[in-house]
Amino acid sequence: MCGIIGYAGKREDDSLEVLMNGLSGLEYRGYDSSGVAIANSTIEVFKREGHLSALEETLPARTVPGTVGIGHTRWSTHGEPSDRNAHPHTDCQDTVAVVHNGIIENFQSLRDDLAAAGHTFDSDTDTEVVPHLIEHELGNGASHTEAFRRAVDQLEGSYALAAVFEGDHTLYATRQESPLVVGLGEDGCYLASDVPAFIEYTDTVVYLEDGEFVQLDPSGMEVTDSQGNAVETTTDTIEWDPEDAGKSGYDHYMLKEIHEQPTAIRKCLRGRVQELEESVSIDSLSDVSEPGAVHFVACGTSYYAALYGARLFRERGIWAQAFLASEYDPGVIPVDDDTMVVGVTQSGETADTLSALRGANRAGVETIAVTNVVGSSAARACDHTLFIRAGPEIGVAATKTFASQQTALVLLSSALTGYDDPNLLRAFRKLPDQMQSILDRSRADAVAEAYRDADAYFVIGRGYTEPVAYEGALKMKEITYKHAEGFAAGELKHGPLALVTERTPVFALVSDNGMARKTIGNVKEVEARSAPVVAITDVPEMVDPYADFLLEVPKTHEWLMPILANVHLQLVAYSIANQLGRSIDMPRNLAKSVTVE
């Protein structure tokens, strides 16, 4: 969840600027404090609770010289948000500074041993044991490289670690189940938990694998394995412009990304739908056979996309189920040689999903990653990868990645089962323009104006729209901070109806899927209890008599209607949050990439 930036450069006056720019590029991940450390003849550390603006106020007006430095944005796990718990952390003598993402599971026993040996701790964090372990090894005569390795050898848990030493122009780093990527530029080397931290400086990257160590200095990098042997690395080129990570004139990243959805869908479909040949094909999956069963594993928004994908496979005659990744255990859930495990993860770094995929790999089943990030841990961990091609998503609340995941899962189910309905293929061609028409004619501001002060919001759907009901409610919760729940429409009367009042608007997803009349029946139930009704529908003539607002969806294939309907829910959630003055791009307590279990 936290963000790391590191720099080993050729111009000593640039380090602080690079680190601060990098932290700004990582703000989207969510954080509650931040800090930087510059190494020269000493180590100068600046850190502060709150947003980057608070850290900037602590920085000196003078240039802080030094060719190597590290920075960090923290999302609290051990210890409350505070100046003293912010990273970087140092040893007793302030000779080494460390930043860390992840959780050190054995920190307490390590801390107790170090305290007994005379070390003094200044924070409540698990991270602070690392610089003290390094200090201890230095006291035993180890070099900087040896001390860093020996300290890491004592850690249990997940981590991405970076360290700098006084009087040393080298940055030391390693990873275990938490992402780190190296950037290779003309003016030096960069290290980060995600590419946006340094994309303005270089698009040439090397993704580190678990257990690898890297040393960066102004002239280059050296990567070794856990035994100290040199590792041959592969460089990749990031195929998006730094401007893609900007707001492009929109008030918020989230709004920009909602409006980027038609383009994202076109990219997802490109080269995969052959309308003339009436087929769907995915080059990266050309050697994958039709599975006997499919297990989807995912979290949050991706889990709702997985629910949608599982229904697609079941309709094509393949047993499929979506599991919350944190609850998936192939040692308990039966798998066999015909089982396929599909991990749906926007970032490709979600800890719970990666753990589930690794469990599937150990069980010997075939795995596919459906992800947005080339070079991500999920992409490297799985046998096959289907990239959703949504481009960078900076807003914490997922929008265009959800639409692209849904689209990719329709493609996946079609490609693996040989489904070639020409009506679906024609609907694919129209989908981006239909999405644009919703964006152009949105009535979201009017709906938000009417219901922004509601006590709670319910979203109901049936069939393929049920997962979108869950996702629509999640968006409302994430950015408005108001209570919202999604339900299968038929379940409304089995308990939740007790909560319906005139101050609980119900958003009803009414689709022409053979179940519209049943959903309208549920609408009548809430209408009879004086609840306002907002209908999101492709059959407006059927639901108009019972709705206070109609948000129309263009006619399309049954499987694609939910992708369009969700745009309305995104826009309404955004408009309510905006009218309430919420922090839309960085909702409280949330992070973009959840890299702890």
Side-chain angles (χ1 to χ4, degrees):
M1 290 182 177
C2 312
I4 286 175
I5 177 66
Y7 176 60
K10 297 179 180 178
R11 296 194 299 268
E12 70 172 20
D13 292 341
D14 290 347
S15 296
L16 185 58
E17 179 183 354
V18 170
L19 295 179
M20 292 303 293
N21 286 344
L23 294 183
S24 178
L26 293 171
E27 280 192 289
Y28 72 96
R29 293 170 69 92
Y31 69 105
D32 48 47
S33 60
S34 59
V36 294
I38 302 291
N40 40 57
S41 58
T42 62
I43 291 180
E44 298 192 58
V45 176
F46 309 92
K47 56 185 183 177
R48 179 65 67 86
E49 177 190 357
H51 286 173
L52 278 181
S53 56
L55 175 61
E56 289 170 348
E57 292 173 359
T58 73
L59 300 178
R62 62 177 173 83
T63 298
V64 181
T67 58
V68 62
I70 50 178
H72 191 265
T73 52
R74 176 179 186 251
W75 189 90
S76 300
T77 56
H78 293 65
E80 66 183 6
S82 65
D83 290 354
R84 69 188 187 92
N85 286 333
H87 296 212
H89 290 290
T90 60
D91 63 316
C92 294
Q93 306 300 319
D94 294 332
T95 61
V96 57
V98 171
V99 293
H100 163 233
N101 292 352
I103 291 179
I104 298 171
E105 295 174 357
N106 62 332
F107 86 97
Q108 190 60 59
S109 61
L110 293 172
R111 183 173 175 134
D112 291 343
D113 291 344
L114 288 163
H119 291 262
T120 302
F121 290 84
D122 297 322
S123 78
D124 303 315
T125 69
D126 55 339
T127 303
E128 196 183 358
V129 300
V130 180
H132 288 280
L133 287 171
I134 293 172
E135 180 185 26
H136 180 77
E137 297 299 338
L138 291 172
N140 291 333
S143 66
H144 291 173
T145 299
E146 292 169 338
F148 183 70
R149 283 181 172 275
R150 291 178 187 175
V152 171
D153 285 345
Q154 300 176 60
L155 305 181
E156 298 174 6
S158 63
Y159 47 79
L161 284 165
V164 293
F165 296 81
E166 68 175 19
D168 189 341
H169 298 294
T170 303
L171 189 158
Y172 302 79
T174 188
R175 64 159 283 177
Q176 182 66 38
E177 298 181 4
S178 191
L180 273 181
V181 57
V182 174
L184 303 175
E186 294 181 0
D187 295 324
C189 296
Y190 305 83
L191 179 81
S193 45
D194 205 353
V195 169
F198 56 67
I199 189 62
E200 66 178 284
Y201 301 107
T202 182
D203 60 2
T204 303
V205 303
V206 173
Y207 294 97
L208 298 181
E209 301 286 353
D210 282 349
E212 292 182 344
F213 289 76
V214 64
Q215 293 184 195
L216 304 175
D217 62 36
S219 63
M221 72 169 185
E222 179 185 10
V223 180
T224 54
D225 62 19
S226 59
Q227 305 303 313
N229 303 309
V231 172
E232 185 175 343
T233 60
T234 301
T235 59
D236 290 292
T237 301
I238 301 301
E239 297 181 354
W240 43 274
D241 190 279
E243 292 185 6
D244 291 343
K247 292 182 182 177
S248 302
Y250 288 91
D251 290 339
H252 298 92
Y253 284 112
M254 181 180 179
L255 184 61
K256 173 189 177 236
E257 288 154 7
I258 290 172
H259 281 266
E260 287 177 339
Q261 288 179 120
T263 298
I265 297 301
R266 288 189 181 94
K267 291 180 178 178
C268 185
L269 295 172
R270 186 172 300 146
R272 294 166 171 173
V273 177
Q274 288 74 43
E275 195 171 341
L276 291 177
E277 291 84 1
E278 296 186 348
S279 66
V280 172
S281 62
I282 301 171
D283 290 343
S284 61
L285 305 179
S286 59
D287 59 342
V288 179
S289 302
E290 181 177 308
V294 180
H295 294 176
F296 286 93
V297 292
C299 305
T301 289
S302 296
Y303 174 68
Y304 301 140
L307 287 173
Y308 171 81
R311 189 179 186 95
L312 289 166
F313 273 93
R314 290 196 300 270
E315 186 149 335
R316 288 157 174 75
I318 296 176
W319 186 90
Q321 184 174 349
F323 296 88
L324 289 166
S326 58
E327 297 295 326
Y328 184 74
D329 182 356
V332 175
I333 299 165
V335 297
D336 57 32
D337 292 342
D338 291 329
T339 304
M340 175 183 291
V341 175
V342 179
V344 186
T345 163
Q346 177 273 133
S347 67
E349 303 294 348
T350 307
D352 289 322
T353 305
L354 287 172
S355 179
L357 289 170
R358 291 179 180 121
N361 286 337
R362 288 192 296 270
V365 301
E366 195 167 25
T367 54
I368 296 178
V370 178
T371 185
N372 193 37
V373 182
V374 176
S376 62
S377 296
R380 299 198 304 277
C382 289
D383 299 315
H384 312 278
T385 304
L386 172 56
F387 292 109
I388 66 173
R389 302 175 177 171
E393 185 176 71
I394 306 301
V396 167
T399 52
K400 65 177 179 177
T401 52
F402 180 65
S404 295
Q405 285 172 339
Q406 289 176 291
T407 304
L409 291 174
V410 180
L411 294 173
L412 177 66
S413 61
S414 298
L416 295 189
T417 62
Y419 187 84
D420 55 4
D421 178 5
N423 292 324
L424 175 62
L425 303 186
R426 285 192 291 270
F428 273 138
R429 175 164 45 85
K430 297 177 182 178
L431 185 62
D433 289 338
Q434 290 178 324
M435 189 172 284
Q436 187 63 54
S437 72
I438 293 174
L439 294 167
D440 292 341
R441 302 170 188 171
S442 168
R443 300 182 64 203
D445 287 343
V447 175
E449 183 74 28
Y451 303 126
R452 68 186 180 198
D453 296 322
D455 293 337
Y457 306 93
F458 288 174
V459 191
I460 61 173
R462 284 179 181 269
Y464 285 103
T465 63
E466 179 191 348
V468 171
Y470 303 143
E471 169 61 11
L474 178 62
K475 283 294 144 299
M476 194 75 76
K477 283 183 275 198
E478 286 178 318
I479 63 171
T480 72
Y481 310 158
K482 303 192 78 168
H483 183 72
E485 290 296 332
F487 300 101
E491 286 297 298
L492 194 63
K493 58 186 173 293
H494 295 290
L497 203 57
L499 300 175
V500 170
T501 73
E502 67 278 2
R503 293 184 56 81
T504 53
V506 176
F507 291 79
L509 295 157
V510 185
S511 174
D512 185 16
N513 58 3
M515 294 185 284
R517 293 195 181 279
K518 290 185 178 181
T519 308
I520 290 172
N522 302 126
V523 168
K524 291 179 180 178
E525 290 170 351
V526 300
E527 183 190 41
R529 284 138 181 98
S530 301
V533 174
V534 179
I536 302 172
T537 181
D538 57 0
V539 282
E541 67 282 358
M542 293 180 66
V543 72
D544 182 49
Y546 316 107
D548 297 274
F549 278 92
L550 276 179
L551 301 178
E552 293 191 35
V553 175
K555 289 287 188 182
T556 186
H557 194 281
E558 173 190 352
W559 299 331
L560 305 187
M561 184 273 184
I563 302 175
L564 295 173
N566 187 59
V567 179
H568 283 299
L569 291 170
Q570 292 172 341
L571 290 169
V572 170
Y574 172 84
S575 294
I576 291 176
N578 197 34
Q579 291 181 25
L580 293 173
R582 305 301 194 219
S583 178
I584 291 175
D585 287 330
M586 291 184 287
R588 67 187 182 198
N589 303 330
L590 299 182
K592 183 66 174 174
S593 181
V594 184
T595 56
V596 295
E597 293 185 72

